[in-house]
Amino acid sequence: SPDIVATAGSLLKTILEHNDERMKCLFLTGAFFFILSYPGSNFVQLAHLLLCSHQRQAFHSADDAGTKTKLAEKSFLGSILPESLLHILE
């Protein structure tokens, strides 16, 4: 149901936005792939979750974390989506 998806996206965002340790590991759960494969049209809450989380993922080494300059390099979604879509998300 579309309402369940919207509520789940909102709930995840609320829980994770103030929990940095869990937020950094969201990419390990497969949540980004499930979000991007969702066929529904009610994408607002899921987009909010992507916005608050895509640059906060710990998918690169600590040495590389501060040296990235392009949005596609900073974002976990940079390997999945074109950089132009990441700029739209921002």
Side-chain angles (χ1 to χ4, degrees), residues 2 4-5 10 18 30-32 36 39 43 52 54 61 81-82 87 90:
I4 292 173
V5 172
S10 180
H18 300 294
F32 291 112
L36 294 174
F43 203 71
C52 82
H54 76 104
S61 69
L81 298 174
H87 284 284
E90 285 294 312

Side-chain angles (χ1 to χ4, degrees), residues 1 4 10 12 14 16 21-22 26 34 39 46 49 64 67-68 72 77 89-90:
S1 160
I4 292 173
S10 180
L12 269 174
T14 301
L16 294 174
E21 286 304 310
R22 294 291 149 227
L26 182 63
F34 282 110
L46 297 177
L49 176 59
D64 294 341
T67 62
K68 305 296 183 186
L77 295 175
L89 180 62
E90 285 294 312

